[in-house]
Amino acid sequence: MKPFLREKVPVNFEDVPDTTSFEAGYLVTKNAGWRNVRPVIDTAKCVGCLNCYLYCPDGVIFKKDGKVAIDYDFCKGCGICKKICKVQAIELEAEK
Amino acid sequence: MAKQFLSGDEAFAYGIRLARPHVISAYPITPQTIVVEKLSEFVEDGSLKSEFIHVESEHSALSCAIGASSVGARAFTATSSQGLLYMAECLPYAAGGRFPIVMMNANRSTALPWNIYGDQRDSLSQLDSGWIQAYAENAQEALDLALLGYYIAENKAVSTPFMANLDGFVLTHTYEVVDVPSQEQADEFLPLFETENKMSLEKPKNLAFSAGPDTNSIFKYKEHIGILNAKSVIAEAEGKFEAIFGRKYTGLTENYQTEDADYILITLGSISGLVREIVDKLRKNGEKVGLLKIRYMRPFPNEEIAQAVKNAKAVAVLEKDISFGNEGAVYTNVNSALQKAEINIPSSNYIGGLGGKNISPQEIEDIFAEIKSGISDIKFLGIGGV
């Protein structure tokens, strides 16, 4: 389950936790700003083997409604998923 | 309460048994080994119900303790010298995570040359790691620090790990009569560990997360405030301790004959006992000398030191440490306390006891004689074939 993401990370003294054990996702926000290319899955070609899930260094591959999907809030666009895909179901598209 | 004949290491192990940690993870190293052996015996004979984890290194020992503490367990570990340095990576993890672990460190020299005997260079090199640092003078204080340590560390406003230091061999391996409190008394003093850090499926948490430049300073500042909060909690803990056990401790420092003293020797750990005897001897000769024993290096007793020495003509710091290329770390800290309080008196540094070298009564008398000269100096003891 993906934690709730705030638009901005709390930076006020009172809002920052006292310890480093706290509600998951509290100090996390979208982190994909430097992505130049985005992987796009052709769900018609995808056979759901989840090889991309095993190799993704950022852990952003997940399943949505039974189909493989990508969490673009954290995907850095490295392209490993495209390389590892055995059925060429993933293409990289330039970010605009 | 029962009197027993115990070494410093054994006394500490008895103190830990009274504190009833859920998890003990430790790796043996001279001169700390007896603590680990004793605690494993307690677990074996059923007198201590703890999970005793045999780890493969000191790095793992503290990592285990951090893991246990992060989900709500009271955790203990112990180490010494190279072992402390090996776990050094984990020290700020424990402090930054605000995990109230208690650790006993047997003060021992660091290599090279290889040496298993006592000095304080191991723990003093870790002053900046974010841990509370206490220094015991005798085996009784060692046992008591095991209980006080958890009380102080686990206070919510403090939430800081606690390192109790015992001079290697001089304290860890010498025997004395120690009052061992009853379990009922210990339970009355030390409440159960209550923490919000619990493994919970209802309220899952992100443990030991990262914090970028935007919030990192706030975390570090809160960590700093936490260890400063220990000052008042130490006083509170010692008050409750005295009420239950009848033994009195004096906070971050202990003053002996400092009130009207012209010359004050500042030191820490077991050597304080010898200095006290020399103070008595010189006092009989009419010399106005005193001892200031530092009990806690972190939080550092800036105000207490300034208050104790403000009317003195000169002070000296005797320590078993050298920060190579500068001076002893305790001396640096003491001078900072004096400067902040605008106390401008001669202040000398005596570096002794390195690698277990004995500090003789005569050397302490000589220090008192020398600081009367009014000259500030940094001197090594034990290099002239004493």
Side-chain angles (χ1 to χ4, degrees), chain B residues 205-365:
Chain B
K205 286 194 171 172
N206 193 349
L207 302 183
F209 49 68
S210 55
D214 44 3
T215 56
N216 207 277
S217 305
I218 296 177
F219 276 101
K220 291 297 124 186
Y221 182 70
K222 289 191 175 190
E223 191 180 333
H224 179 56
I225 295 302
I227 196 164
L228 288 179
N229 285 342
K231 288 188 180 189
S232 60
V233 176
I234 287 168
E236 172 200 314
E238 289 176 350
K240 188 176 177 188
F241 192 91
E242 188 186 359
I244 295 172
F245 303 105
R247 278 189 295 283
K248 185 177 169 61
Y249 290 103
T250 54
L252 304 186
T253 58
E254 184 187 313
N255 299 334
Y256 186 70
Q257 302 274 30
T258 54
E259 209 140 277
D260 65 338
D262 291 332
Y263 304 101
I264 295 173
L265 184 52
I266 301 168
T267 192
L268 67 170
S270 60
I271 195 67
S272 311
L274 180 60
V275 176
R276 206 177 279 112
E277 283 186 26
I278 301 300
V279 166
D280 286 344
K281 182 181 171 188
L282 296 177
R283 282 264 167 187
K284 275 183 192 150
N285 301 338
E287 297 189 41
K288 286 180 157 182
V289 293
L291 157 72
L292 192 160
K293 180 177 82 168
I294 293 175
R295 297 187 64 239
Y296 285 85
M297 276 301 290
R298 290 290 182 274
F300 192 70
N302 285 288
E303 296 81 11
E304 291 80 355
I305 290 172
Q307 181 64 26
V309 307
K310 66 178 194 295
N311 297 321
K313 290 177 180 161
V315 296
V317 175
L318 170 62
E319 60 186 299
K320 299 174 180 178
D321 173 59
I322 169 68
S323 177
F324 298 108
N326 191 26
E327 59 201 15
V330 183
Y331 180 61
T332 307
N333 281 261
V334 166
N335 281 341
S336 167
L338 300 187
Q339 195 274 339
K340 280 176 285 194
E342 297 179 4
I343 296 169
N344 189 17
I345 53 174
S347 146
S348 291
N349 192 198
Y350 289 85
I351 291 151
L354 298 184
K357 175 83 174 172
N358 188 44
I359 299 173
S360 70
Q362 187 58 50
E363 281 175 315
I364 300 200
E365 280 195 52

